[in-house]
Amino acid sequence: MAGGMLADAGNLKRAHLYEYKITSYFIFSCIVGALGGSLFGYDLGVSGGVTSMDDFLIEFFPDVYARKHAHLEETDYCKYDDQMLTLFTSSLYFAALISTFGASSLTKNKGRRASIIVGSISFFLGAVLNAFAKNLWMLIIGRILLGFGIGFGNQAVPLYLSEMAPAKVRGAVNQLFQLTTCLGILIASLINYGTEKIHPWGWRLSLGLAVVPATVMFIGGLLCPETPNSLVEQGRMEEARRVLERVRGTPNVDAEYEDLVEASVEAQSIKNPFQNLLKKKNRPQFIIGAIAIPAFQQLTGNNSILFYAPVIFQTVGFGNDAALYSSVITNVALVLATLISMGLVDKFGRRAFFLEAGAEMIFCMVATAIVLAVAFGGGKQLSFGVSIFLVIVIFLFVLAYGRSWGPLGWLVPSELFPLEIRSAAQSVVVCVNMIFTALVAQLFLMSLCHLKYGIFLLFGGLICLMSCFVFFLLPETKQVPIEEIYLLFEKHWFWKRFVGDSNDQERSNEQA
């Protein structure tokens, strides 16, 4: 039974009978489907660059512009501490967390492609409104529409990729979402670097070009097949079988197809998937996949660096061009790290990447805090050597994040849940992720102003706690079929005391 928690476990251990080939149809479907990540990435990359552009600040945030230029030749932690400026960034993520619940219903009832298409349309409209904004509220409304688009896209794309992929390559395939996200960030940074020199409307071009990934995602949503899991869930059984055979490149899909059908039967019995998420048998997945990992992904501090890289570099004394150039360097690190993770995560596993990269991230955060504590402040610019050292440390931090919490923060939650609650669970994943993304985006510049270099020590301490959580509580999921993930928790030293008893009781009730 695919993802079944109630049937006898012995009947579920037939993943060894699954057959597949890596076909061109499968590759096309996954690449086009993964383009949804480019929406998220482009926005992450473009926001920080735009908020550091003088022309943008003059039009919408003149007080920030005046404060920035009053201290142009000085270091000042508080140059950009403005809650309306950060609301420009964070409003998108508040909108995304609200929209994800509507996306859950659409994803479950109409399929993953439907959410991808709706998300692309909303993102397109938001990009147009931002490009032609005449006042702050046009900007905010545009950001809300962008947020709706990201909410729908982030709900559907990780599920789409995990369901299309065979277990042995699921990690690499799922990380196509992270790869397109990182490429979107890099492209946005390069665009910002160019448009910053176009006065006075370069920022409009940066924001408006978001219509390009939205259009690509829309076309991709039309061209991609629906996942076999979703087709079975919708009762389109013959079509599901045809798609599964075509995606797997073989007619010998009986075992996998039977698992999908049985999972669908189980799913139909779940009247309220959100309520079912809280049942004892699903508690480990809920705590780990829906709450802890998406929250931890944001509390690493990396997205703060991605949002505000140009702002951070200007804050510590880099000029406009140097700040944008330095942010491009960090985004190159993100793309390289994702490629490393895609190539190795199914070999070394999820836990190894979390723990090894976590140690590096802690070192980088502590090193950054020490450098700023010793060499920063007093109205003086950082020396060239110290500036280069900071860029290198942030580069290494992003390189570590990009092969661990970045991609695995989406991969691991998409692997953990059985089909009957998968769409509901993914909604909670996206919602929690967006809550913490919005909070970090809204509070980071204020925290930088008040905590100064201590903000980096705070992130380092949080990463230490996250690494301990992974070490003790996260089982290894590499190459384990989604249909059998629940067995990991039944055998886990800690979680078995919860799920073992509940599953035994439910099986007894079913037999009675």
Side-chain angles (χ1 to χ4, degrees):
M1 181 185 297
M5 291 286 207
L6 307 180
D8 181 70
N11 295 331
L12 292 168
K13 298 175 183 178
R14 55 187 176 193
H16 63 284
L17 300 175
Y18 292 7
E19 295 184 20
Y20 73 94
K21 300 176 184 176
I22 303 298
T23 64
S24 57
Y25 185 70
F26 166 73
I27 293 172
F28 169 79
S29 300
C30 290
I31 291 176
V32 176
L35 290 174
S38 63
L39 301 188
F40 193 30
Y42 189 85
D43 182 78
L44 281 173
V46 81
S47 300
V50 166
T51 54
S52 71
M53 293 182 185
D54 284 350
D55 293 323
F56 177 81
L57 294 175
I58 290 170
E59 185 151 355
F60 297 104
F61 302 98
D63 291 343
V64 176
Y65 173 80
R67 189 160 63 245
K68 170 187 172 182
H69 283 267
H71 301 279
L72 191 61
E73 300 303 326
E74 300 177 6
T75 54
D76 184 353
Y77 281 108
C78 300
K79 285 181 183 180
Y80 291 90
D81 180 22
D82 184 282
Q83 289 301 292
M84 291 304 294
L85 178 63
T86 51
L87 181 63
F88 165 75
T89 297
S90 63
S91 58
L92 180 147
Y93 303 101
F94 286 119
L97 72 89
I98 294 171
S99 68
T100 187
F101 292 103
S104 171
S105 177
L106 184 66
T107 300
K108 179 177 176 60
N109 297 320
K110 299 299 182 182
R112 287 44 167 156
R113 291 171 64 239
S115 281
I116 291 173
I117 291 170
V118 170
S120 66
I121 294 172
S122 180
F123 199 88
F124 183 96
L125 295 175
V128 171
L129 192 59
N130 271 181
F132 292 96
K134 295 298 183 182
N135 56 58
L136 181 59
W137 291 109
M138 285 183 70
L139 275 181
I140 299 299
I141 293 171
R143 296 287 292 175
I144 290 172
L145 288 173
L146 292 174
F148 287 158
I150 285 177
F152 277 86
N154 286 12
Q155 156 72 218
V157 172
L159 288 185
Y160 184 91
L161 295 173
S162 286
E163 291 179 350
M164 291 294 277
K168 290 187 176 180
V169 295
R170 188 175 63 241
V173 170
N174 187 275
Q175 289 190 58
L176 286 171
F177 176 74
Q178 179 70 9
L179 179 62
T180 56
T181 299
C182 296
L183 289 172
I185 295 170
L186 177 59
I187 291 169
S189 298
L190 292 170
I191 288 172
N192 281 340
Y193 186 70
T195 59
E196 194 274 334
K197 306 178 189 309
I198 303 174
H199 303 289
W201 50 270
W203 63 269
R204 294 187 185 274
L205 183 58
S206 286
L207 296 178
L209 284 174
V211 300
V212 175
T215 302
V216 172
M217 181 174 167
F218 177 79
I219 295 172
L222 296 177
L223 295 178
C224 283
E226 187 56 83
T227 69
N229 309 60
S230 180
L231 292 170
V232 169
E233 199 172 22
Q234 297 173 59
R236 297 154 64 182
M237 315 303 282
E238 292 183 6
E239 185 180 353
R241 173 86 189 210
R242 288 197 303 270
V243 171
L244 185 60
E245 290 180 357
R246 192 173 180 190
V247 169
R248 296 293 180 257
T250 175
N252 301 323
V253 296
D254 290 344
E256 186 170 3
Y257 180 71
E258 288 169 12
D259 278 350
L260 295 179
V261 172
E262 290 181 17
S264 179
V265 173
E266 183 69 33
Q268 297 304 317
S269 69
I270 304 299
K271 302 303 181 184
N272 190 333
F274 284 99
Q275 184 177 357
N276 202 59
L277 265 175
L278 302 177
K279 286 189 175 181
K280 193 173 182 181
K281 65 177 184 178
N282 295 322
R283 197 164 296 165
Q285 296 96 313
F286 181 76
I287 293 172
I288 295 173
I291 303 297
I293 288 180
F296 290 166
Q297 187 191 53
Q298 301 310 315
L299 293 175
T300 59
N302 184 78
N303 275 357
S304 298
I305 293 173
L306 295 180
F307 290 149
Y308 300 117
V311 169
I312 291 171
F313 286 123
Q314 283 190 14
T315 295
V316 297
F318 288 53
N320 259 8
D321 287 351
L324 289 169
Y325 187 66
S326 299
S327 69
V328 170
I329 292 175
T330 60
N331 292 325
V332 169
L334 203 56
V335 173
L336 291 176
T338 304
L339 293 173
I340 292 170
S341 187
M342 288 179 67
L344 299 177
V345 72
D346 285 316
K347 179 179 180 181
F348 294 106
R350 286 57 162 153
R351 283 168 51 87
F353 273 79
F354 273 131
L355 296 173
E356 174 270 331
E360 290 185 38
M361 293 164 70
I362 294 169
F363 170 80
C364 291
M365 288 290 95
V366 173
T368 301
I370 292 173
V371 168
L372 293 180
V374 172
F376 184 74
K380 298 180 294 183
Q381 289 220 352
L382 296 176
S383 69
F384 178 79
V386 171
S387 299
I388 294 299
F389 178 78
L390 273 181
V391 171
I392 292 172
V393 169
I394 291 177
F395 180 92
L396 293 174
F397 176 86
V398 174
L399 194 65
Y401 171 89
R403 65 179 185 273
S404 60
W405 284 100
L408 301 186
W410 295 105
L411 168 61
V412 173
S414 73
E415 296 178 317
L416 294 183
F417 297 96
L419 178 62
E420 60 264 24
I421 58 171
R422 196 170 297 156
S423 291
Q426 184 67 12
S427 286
V428 179
V429 171
V430 176
C431 181
V432 171
N433 187 287
M434 292 303 156
I435 287 173
F436 280 87
T437 303
L439 289 175
V440 171
Q442 185 68 27
L443 299 176
F444 177 75
L445 291 180
M446 181 177 67
S447 300
L448 181 65
C449 177
H450 293 284
L451 296 179
K452 300 180 171 56
Y453 62 84
I455 187 68
F456 299 100
L457 291 176
L458 174 61
F459 284 133
L462 290 171
I463 296 167
C464 185
L465 292 176
M466 298 170 203
S467 299
C468 291
F469 180 92
V470 168
F471 182 80
F472 290 109
L473 297 177
L474 178 66
E476 181 54 67
T477 58
K478 73 169 183 177
Q479 299 187 8
V480 179
I482 293 179
E483 295 77 20
E484 297 180 2
I485 291 289
Y486 79 98
L487 295 171
L488 299 176
F489 295 102
E490 290 189 354
K491 299 173 183 177
H492 190 271
W493 72 273
F494 179 78
W495 298 117
K496 67 181 179 182
R497 70 188 69 181
F498 300 103
V499 299
D501 293 342
S502 65
N503 284 345
D504 290 343
Q505 181 63 45
E506 293 199 31
R507 289 183 190 120
S508 297
N509 293 341
E510 187 180 66
Q511 291 171 359

